[in-house]
Every structure is written in structure tokens, then in C-alpha cells.
Amino acid sequence: MKKAEQGFSLLELITVMILLGILSVTLFSRLGPVSTAAVQSGRDDIIAALFFAQQTAMMRSSGGNIELQLTTHSVSVTENGQPIRVAADYYPLALPQGVNATPATFVFDKLGRTTANTITLTGSGNTAGTSAVIQVEASGYAYAN
């Protein structure tokens, strides 16, 4: 008896390829442009540094000597003017290439409070046209708009 050949027909393979193409176009179009990734990464780095500075100020008994300094291309958290170590690295932390921030300084008291301010990040070069806004409340709470 002759054994039936196994495998997919050409029609089945083409149908699967067309369906995968439609699914990939649909999913990737929802992710947004790649150029926003650097600005979003910079935004997240700054929010994490703000949270770290607030928590460090509340943890120290003296308080008031924890400062976050934001320059155009970096963010730094210092205690008594000295960079604080985070894991294996020290601040300042460089923002992603092509991301510029509005310079600002935040001093945290022992209750984690600081001055209210707005930080704007803008993209340049490959990330031109993208931006992000970080709102810092007087309570020290920071969030992205």
C-alpha cells in the first residue's frame, strides 16, 4: 500500500503567510514610532531619580540635604553635594542621546517635599518632534502628563 504524503499545500502556506502579515502590521502600528522610545526612556529615568531622591531624603534623619539636579543632558542626585551611589553606579545619569531636558533643581526635606515644577523633555536629531512633560508636585510626587 502506498503511504499518503504529508505536508502543507501551497495554498495553506500562502494563507498562513497572509494572515501573519496582517497581524504583524496591525500589532506594530499600535506600538507607535520608534523615535519616541528615547524620550520615554529619559522621562522614566527622571521620574525614577525623583522618587529615589524623595525616598532617600525621608530615610535620612537630617533630611533637607538631598538634592536632584537636572541639566540639559543628565540627572544627578546628591547628598551634601556628593553623588549618591545607586547599585554599582553613581549619579549623574546621562539622558539618552537626542533627549534634552529643561534644567531644574529640587531640594527634598525629611518629609519628601520639594518645590512644585514642570519638567519638559524634547527630542532632537532622530527623536525630533517628540516630547514628554513631567509634573512634580510640592508633596514630591512626580508623574508624566
Side-chain angles (χ1 to χ4, degrees), residues 34-104:
V34 176
S35 63
T36 62
V39 174
Q40 291 171 348
S41 176
R43 176 200 64 200
D44 295 344
D45 287 344
I46 293 172
I47 290 175
L50 285 161
F51 180 73
F52 173 74
Q54 180 189 38
Q55 296 299 310
T56 303
M58 292 188 310
M59 190 172 62
R60 305 284 201 266
S61 60
S62 59
N65 54 359
I66 303 296
E67 184 174 275
L68 182 135
Q69 296 174 337
L70 183 62
T71 66
T72 307
H73 300 293
S74 69
V75 60
S76 181
V77 179
T78 61
E79 181 175 18
N80 297 322
Q82 297 298 317
I84 297 178
R85 183 177 182 166
V86 179
D89 295 325
Y90 287 88
Y91 279 101
L93 175 69
L95 296 176
Q97 187 175 0
V99 177
N100 302 316
T102 54

Side-chain angles (χ1 to χ4, degrees), residues 76-144:
S76 181
V77 179
T78 61
E79 181 175 18
N80 297 322
Q82 297 298 317
I84 297 178
R85 183 177 182 166
V86 179
D89 295 325
Y90 287 88
Y91 279 101
L93 175 69
L95 296 176
Q97 187 175 0
V99 177
N100 302 316
T102 54
T105 300
F106 298 92
V107 178
F108 291 86
D109 66 11
K110 62 183 174 180
L111 296 176
R113 297 176 299 200
T114 188
T115 51
N117 201 349
T118 301
I119 302 168
T120 304
L121 280 80
T122 55
S124 63
N126 291 340
T127 61
T130 59
S131 64
V133 177
I134 301 169
Q135 187 67 40
V136 181
E137 302 290 336
S139 64
Y141 177 67
Y143 59 93

